[in-house]
Amino acid sequence: MKKYFHVIAIGLQNNLQYRVNYFARTLFSFIPLFAMLSLWRTVYAHKSGAGQGGFTEAQMIFYYLMVAVVDVFTAVNEDDWQIAADIREGNISQFLLKPVDYLWYRLCLFFSGRLAFISMASVPLAVFIFCFRSYFVAPVNETALVLFPFSLVLTALLQFFFSYAMAMLAFWFLEITTFIFILFAFEYIASGHMFPLAFLHDKSPLLEHALMFTPFPYQMYFPVALYMGKISGADLWSGLLAQFLWVVLAYAFARFMWRRGVKKYSAFGG
């Protein structure tokens, strides 16, 4: 494990070289969020009481604020591009010859990147939260307080393992940009980034039920809904189990893609 802690330390040093980039990225990420909040304020200006899916205006605004917070802790930014570049340029050859597991190596870099990003994003994020402090509420109960951090870690792992598996397509295809954007677009809608999946309960309950059997809701909607108390009781525990099982399956899929990909690897470059 010592070598992987060393990777985390090196990753932190490398990522902290881009402090201004992280700071600017955080600031610009608030622009679409402000637009979304303005949109829903306009929508709720013509409504009264609870809106669609049982969300009041305050709850809807808080939902998007929590999406921004969860995104800071769990989002995969450039890891898939970097992994694909390692494969394309032959940089993974060294990992086939040395006692370093490439998946764990990339996972350590992912967490070091998140730590660096959080350290740089903490100030603008704190200012942003302060500006909307009237909408922020504590976890709905002690169960949510305890389980939310655990679900947050599972969310980060799930996003990383799927991005890692997608990047493995670089063993077969020279350019995987299209595949990554297709996955991102589908994930953006099906994970609850665009709107709470509870909205589907009235319009398309069958679609909502079907989505909960996919990994996408557990990449964003589930941890936020858990925090807000929108998922509770038996649904909470079954959802947490489903999230854990999806992490295990995503890890197994990532391993499978690596084993199959290495067989196709021609060791160019590097």
Side-chain angles (χ1 to χ4, degrees):
M1 291 298 295
K2 184 178 180 180
K3 57 189 174 186
Y4 294 113
F5 284 120
H6 186 61
V7 170
I8 293 177
I10 294 176
L12 279 171
Q13 295 174 21
N14 291 336
N15 280 285
L16 288 175
Q17 295 179 12
Y18 304 99
R19 294 187 293 271
V20 176
N21 179 47
Y22 285 150
F23 187 80
R25 180 184 295 176
T26 304
L27 291 178
F28 281 104
S29 67
F30 291 148
I31 295 177
L33 180 58
F34 276 118
M36 191 64 72
L37 294 181
S38 298
L39 171 64
W40 283 107
R41 280 177 167 173
T42 303
V43 171
Y44 275 91
H46 300 86
K47 288 180 175 287
S48 60
Q52 192 176 19
F55 281 76
T56 63
E57 179 182 354
Q59 288 176 333
M60 181 61 66
I61 292 175
F62 180 59
Y63 176 85
Y64 283 103
L65 297 178
M66 283 300 299
V67 166
V69 172
V70 172
D71 217 32
V72 168
F73 281 91
T74 65
V76 176
N77 288 327
E78 299 177 355
D79 296 80
D80 41 11
W81 307 105
Q82 294 172 1
I83 294 170
D86 280 349
I87 296 171
R88 186 170 56 251
E89 297 168 8
N91 294 330
I92 65 165
S93 297
Q94 57 185 313
F95 297 98
L96 303 177
L97 303 173
K98 297 178 181 179
V100 177
D101 188 295
Y102 187 68
L103 187 148
W104 290 109
Y105 167 78
R106 291 304 319 187
L107 184 61
C108 289
L109 290 181
F110 167 67
F111 279 116
S112 65
R114 286 297 86 202
L115 289 173
F117 186 80
I118 291 169
S119 65
M120 292 300 102
S122 58
V123 174
L125 184 63
V127 173
F128 180 77
I129 292 175
F130 179 79
C131 293
F132 289 90
R133 62 190 180 279
S134 59
Y135 294 101
F136 271 86
V137 295
V140 65
N141 51 45
E142 294 180 357
T143 302
L145 176 64
V146 173
L147 295 182
F148 176 70
F150 179 67
S151 180
L152 205 62
V153 173
L154 293 179
T155 296
L157 291 173
L158 186 58
Q159 294 202 39
F160 171 79
F161 288 141
F162 269 104
S163 295
Y164 180 93
M166 180 60 64
M168 292 295 104
L169 289 175
F171 280 117
W172 290 271
F173 302 96
L174 184 63
E175 182 57 61
I176 64 169
T177 303
T178 302
F179 297 105
I180 292 177
F181 276 120
I182 290 174
L183 178 64
F184 174 77
F186 190 79
E187 179 190 86
Y188 189 79
I189 299 174
S191 68
H193 270 87
M194 182 173 288
F195 56 84
L197 297 184
F199 276 24
L200 298 173
H201 186 72
D202 296 328
K203 300 295 184 180
S204 304
L206 185 61
L207 178 59
E208 179 194 20
H209 188 68
L211 277 177
M212 296 310 292
F213 285 95
T214 71
F216 301 108
Y218 306 101
Q219 295 180 347
M220 180 57 68
Y221 175 72
F222 180 78
V224 176
L226 185 159
Y227 184 99
M228 297 180 65
K230 295 295 182 179
I231 299 178
S232 58
D235 290 337
L236 169 61
W237 295 106
S238 61
L240 202 63
L241 176 61
Q243 188 180 32
F244 176 77
L245 291 177
W246 273 117
V247 170
V248 174
L249 288 173
Y251 172 78
F253 182 55
R255 287 293 190 190
F256 170 78
M257 291 292 287
W258 168 264
R259 289 194 299 269
R260 293 297 299 270
V262 166
K263 294 178 180 178
K264 300 279 294 184
Y265 183 56
S266 300
F268 292 113

